[in-house]
Amino acid sequence: MSRRRFADLADAGRQLGAALTESYGGHDDALILGIEPHGLVVGQAAAQVLGLPVLGLAPDGPAPAEVVDRVVLVVDDGVESGGTATRLAALLRASGPARLVLAVPVCPREPYSALTRSYDEVIALERPFMVRSLAWHYVDPPDPGGESAGS
């Protein structure tokens, strides 16, 4: 990948929302869980495109009660190793969602393959061969402190 695809987190969310529109836009049973802090920004922008509710989820927090019997779209700013996404899949599965989907702007090929075993579906706009810092994929990289990439 020779260029940075996403201007910022909100742009990544809008692009992700557009890619998810056909499958999940406006579904009454769908919910976006944005992984705090950066995934929540991406999730909020995607939720606006999709017309879906969005909740924030801390990587070490409990699963919200709203996931029971819902299509849950777990959104983050991207995946590096896949550790956070794998832990969250186990946590959320125990809460009984109808379907569990990971939707991210960036997920390298190796973790992507592993995550397909934890989620019913994994959607990534970019699947680079090499693992890079998530900030590399953004023109205006998120502040590592949480103000504006990584799991």
Side-chain angles (χ1 to χ4, degrees):
M1 185 163 141
S2 62
R3 65 180 176 83
R4 288 162 173 78
R5 176 163 181 179
F6 310 106
D8 55 23
L9 294 172
D11 176 52
R14 287 187 295 272
Q15 289 188 46
L16 190 59
L20 297 169
T21 298
E22 186 175 327
S23 297
Y24 299 104
H27 284 226
D28 292 339
D29 64 340
L31 166 72
I32 290 178
L33 287 183
I35 309 306
E36 298 175 0
H38 302 129
L40 182 55
V41 177
V42 176
Q44 288 168 331
Q48 287 181 332
V49 173
L50 294 166
L52 295 177
V54 61
L55 296 173
L57 178 62
D60 58 354
E66 292 89 344
V67 304
V68 177
D69 295 328
R70 308 264 314 255
V71 174
V72 177
L73 304 170
V74 178
V75 174
D76 206 350
D77 60 334
V79 170
E80 287 178 352
S81 68
T84 299
T86 300
R87 285 190 306 278
L88 287 174
L91 172 77
L92 294 167
R93 283 250 182 246
S95 298
R99 182 169 175 77
L100 192 57
V101 178
L102 178 64
V104 293
V106 180
C107 183
R109 293 176 189 179
E110 188 175 328
Y112 180 92
S113 179
L115 289 166
T116 61
R117 293 186 289 276
S118 299
Y119 289 85
D120 297 311
E121 183 177 9
V122 178
I123 298 161
L125 300 179
E126 292 287 327
R127 293 191 322 159
F129 183 72
M130 294 174 34
V131 175
R132 295 182 185 259
S133 165
L134 290 178
W136 188 89
H137 298 277
Y138 293 87
V139 174
D140 183 15
D143 177 359
E147 288 305 311
S148 269
S151 331

